[in-house]
Amino acid sequence: MKAAIGDRLIVESAHDHEPRRVGVITQLRHEDGSPPYVVRWMDSEHETLVFPGPDAHVVSKQEREASLPPP
């Protein structure tokens, strides 16, 4: 897994009654973009150091912008 500042980290829920978590990567600990990441969670604005597991994936800023409809 590789990321850049501004990418989103999505952590899928292991249970149906829990929502997935979405956060913005605000700091990298390694120059190559590998984990861990400092993430600001969108639901709480709380920042944590995250070591993503197999239930997580990164969505880049370019991928998000490419999926938006044209203005």
Side-chain angles (χ1 to χ4, degrees):
M1 178 179 298
K2 302 289 182 180
I5 292 174
D7 290 351
R8 289 196 180 160
L9 181 69
I10 312 291
V11 180
E12 300 296 342
S13 172
H15 306 285
D16 290 336
H17 64 279
E18 295 177 0
R20 67 182 182 171
R21 295 201 70 197
V22 179
V24 176
I25 296 171
T26 60
Q27 292 180 30
L28 302 175
R29 296 297 169 118
H30 301 286
E31 289 183 20
D32 68 353
S34 62
Y37 309 121
V38 175
V39 175
R40 185 181 69 245
W41 298 106
M42 296 179 80
D43 60 348
S44 66
E45 295 295 320
H46 184 74
E47 283 194 349
T48 57
L49 180 64
V50 179
F51 293 81
D55 57 343
H57 63 277
V58 172
V59 177
S60 71
K61 184 177 180 179
Q62 293 83 9
E63 290 173 316
R64 284 194 330 273
E65 289 173 354
S67 68
L68 294 174

